Amino acid sequence: MNLPNLLIFIVMALCALGGRPSTAIADGRCDQQCQLARKAQDPLASIRALVLDNTIGFDSDRDPQSYATLVQPVYSLPSEGRYNVILRGTVPVIGVRDGVVLPPLGPDPRGRSSYSTGLSDSIVQAFFSPKSESDLKFGIGPQVSLRTRTGDELAGPGWGGGVSAVVTGFSGRWSYAAIVGQHWGQQGYSVATINPVLIYNSDLLGGSYIGYSNSLTYNWKASSGNRWQIPLGLTAGKTFPLDNGSAIDLSMGYYKMAERPEGGLESQFKFAVTFILP
């Protein structure tokens, strides 16, 4: 799918979903299903959750060249003070063919054989967010990386640290967020990430959503013309409430790379499963 066709698809999909506003949102209420969907879309939500975020990367021949499963526990610490504290972890399980460049790991080609698999380096984040009754929230905090790699060909930042900030909110049927971070690590690792989220919530299929949710990266150590990775596409999903107050959120999406480094992948298929605990 080329870029013009992708943009046309985005517009048509949003128009199709926009036929009837969500009753719970339109009249100012937000029922259980609405609240759970918002929690799944809100990086500062007061929840306990486990996210399994999966990405398969393809080259120009539609051949899979990499995969990554990011195991992401989320835990909101109980607090009686002025701030909420949200802890988020990322444990990457990666597989990559020889010669492929994965920008979040650095500017160098990956792999030492036909296919390398294992753990990369893990990251732990802490967001401090002022308590507020407003739909608009923000948070900021440190992040540290741990050298958990099982092989040098899967290396990320190693031991390192950085800072990240997030803003998130809701407006009618839309939820939005932006997470911006900068991380420094071993051997000159320096990568900035921008994770914009723009989600439209609909009554379709009993409550579903569609929008953009992916990560842009900028590698400060890469050569000129090879620093950005910018994916364009759509993610669609649905949150399923369970009887005990928990929920499962399922989503999938397809993205083309508008900008990528030499050796980088041309497209991604993403699918995620989020377990929201009571």
Side-chain angles (χ1 to χ4, degrees):
M1 182 183 294
N2 58 34
L3 184 55
N5 288 339
L6 183 62
L7 294 175
I8 292 172
F9 173 70
I10 292 173
V11 173
M12 291 179 64
L14 291 176
C15 289
L17 284 172
R20 186 167 64 93
S22 170
T23 303
I25 297 175
D27 64 8
R29 294 181 296 104
C30 188
D31 58 18
Q32 181 192 30
Q33 185 168 341
C34 166
Q35 291 173 8
L36 289 170
R38 285 187 169 187
K39 284 184 177 181
Q41 298 160 13
D42 181 1
L44 294 179
S46 297
I47 59 171
R48 293 181 299 161
L50 178 64
V51 183
L52 303 178
D53 187 3
N54 305 275
T55 302
I56 302 174
F58 300 91
D59 62 12
S60 57
D61 295 324
R62 301 290 194 275
D63 292 328
Q65 299 293 306
S66 74
Y67 72 85
T69 297
L70 305 182
V71 181
Q72 299 176 310
V74 180
Y75 187 79
S76 177
L77 294 175
S79 171
E80 296 182 358
R82 297 172 55 189
Y83 294 88
N84 291 319
V85 181
I86 298 93
L87 302 179
R88 303 176 68 92
T90 300
V91 181
V93 182
I94 291 176
V96 59
R97 286 192 183 277
D98 185 35
V100 171
V101 173
L102 296 178
L105 301 186
D108 300 324
R110 299 287 143 176
R112 287 186 176 178
S113 60
S114 59
Y115 218 94
S116 300
T117 61
L119 285 178
S120 185
D121 298 325
S122 303
I123 292 180
V124 178
Q125 297 174 306
F127 290 109
F128 296 85
S129 175
K131 291 183 177 180
S132 172
E133 297 299 324
S134 170
D135 284 340
L136 181 65
K137 298 181 291 183
F138 70 91
I140 190 169
Q143 58 188 32
V144 296
S145 55
L146 311 175
R147 190 183 171 102
T148 56
R149 69 189 70 165
T150 56
D152 289 341
E153 65 276 14
L154 303 173
W159 299 108
V163 64
S164 55
V166 58
V167 60
T168 180
F170 304 95
S171 179
R173 289 169 281 169
W174 294 90
S175 62
Y176 54 87
I179 306 173
V180 180
Q182 168 64 38
H183 200 89
W184 296 272
Q186 294 178 297
Q187 300 178 329
Y189 182 97
S190 180
V191 173
T193 58
I194 306 170
N195 183 193
V197 178
L198 181 62
I199 300 294
Y200 180 92
N201 293 284
S202 171
D203 277 344
L204 188 66
L205 301 177
S208 58
Y209 58 85
I210 190 168
Y212 184 95
S213 179
N214 209 329
S215 293
L216 290 66
T217 59
Y218 184 84
N219 197 312
W220 297 92
K221 298 300 182 180
S223 60
S224 178
N226 291 295
R227 294 176 179 172
W228 278 108
Q229 176 177 268
I230 302 178
L232 292 179
L234 277 178
T235 290
K238 177 175 169 56
T239 305
F240 299 88
L242 302 179
D243 292 338
N244 60 357
S246 60
I248 296 177
D249 183 84
L250 303 177
S251 67
M252 64 177 61
Y254 178 77
Y255 292 83
K256 291 279 288 186
M257 295 302 165
E259 292 286 342
R260 62 189 177 96
E262 183 178 357
L265 298 169
E266 291 201 356
S267 61
Q268 297 175 334
F269 173 71
K270 297 178 68 67
F271 62 99
V273 181
T274 300
F275 301 94
I276 301 175
L277 305 178

